[in-house]
Amino acid sequence: MATVSPSWNYTLHLPHDPRAPGIARGALRLILAAHEMPELTPTAELLAAELLTNSHRHTKGPYALRVRSAEPGRLRVAVWDTDPRVPPGFSEREAPTPPLDEEGGRGLHLVRSCANAWGASVLRELGASKGGKLLWAECGGGAPTC
């Protein structure tokens, strides 16, 4: 008899600390192991690493990793931070690849290349969301994989 796995979600609140992205990636690996989704670990970890590092490098406040599975075999990795500005290249569908001689700017391009879907939400209300933005990327369910 087939069983249906209920949807689940986790949120890990992180301080603005250089160790936070690594701690969050470790938590993500544990979450995926607990939910028996090891095949998504490499892509999910890459997506989380890029989004977390972006928040750490370009904001001053805390941030949070959000992980959820609403469909079997598909995962949404999201990072919330206090800055409402969506990074250039993340919101446009056809962002140019950065020149090879530049040190930065490839992280969000990697997210766009490896995710099945991605998006951004600007959170304007200061209630429970504390404002800011949420950048998300989905993996699993076929096609893009890194």
Side-chain angles (χ1 to χ4, degrees), residues 113-128:
S113 297
C114 296
N116 294 75
W118 69 91
S121 298
V122 176
L123 309 170
R124 302 206 186 278
E125 294 184 27
L126 294 179

Side-chain angles (χ1 to χ4, degrees), residues 88-98 109 112:
F90 197 77
S91 56
E92 300 91 22
R93 290 288 169 202
E94 295 296 324
T97 304
H109 182 72
R112 292 164 52 109

Side-chain angles (χ1 to χ4, degrees), residues 31-97:
I31 291 166
L32 293 177
H35 286 281
E36 299 177 354
M37 300 176 83
E39 69 282 359
L40 296 181
T41 301
T43 302
E45 191 173 357
L46 175 100
L47 296 172
E50 295 303 336
L51 295 175
L52 288 160
T53 301
N54 190 60
S55 285
H56 182 77
R57 289 185 66 187
H58 300 290
T59 67
K60 303 270 188 242
Y63 43 100
L65 173 67
R66 296 180 181 181
V67 183
R68 78 176 176 105
S69 175
E71 300 174 28
R74 193 162 175 101
L75 183 74
R76 179 176 281 197
V77 176
V79 173
W80 166 85
D81 65 47
T82 56
D83 187 346
R85 294 173 295 167
V86 175
F90 197 77
S91 56
E92 300 91 22
R93 290 288 169 202
E94 295 296 324
T97 304

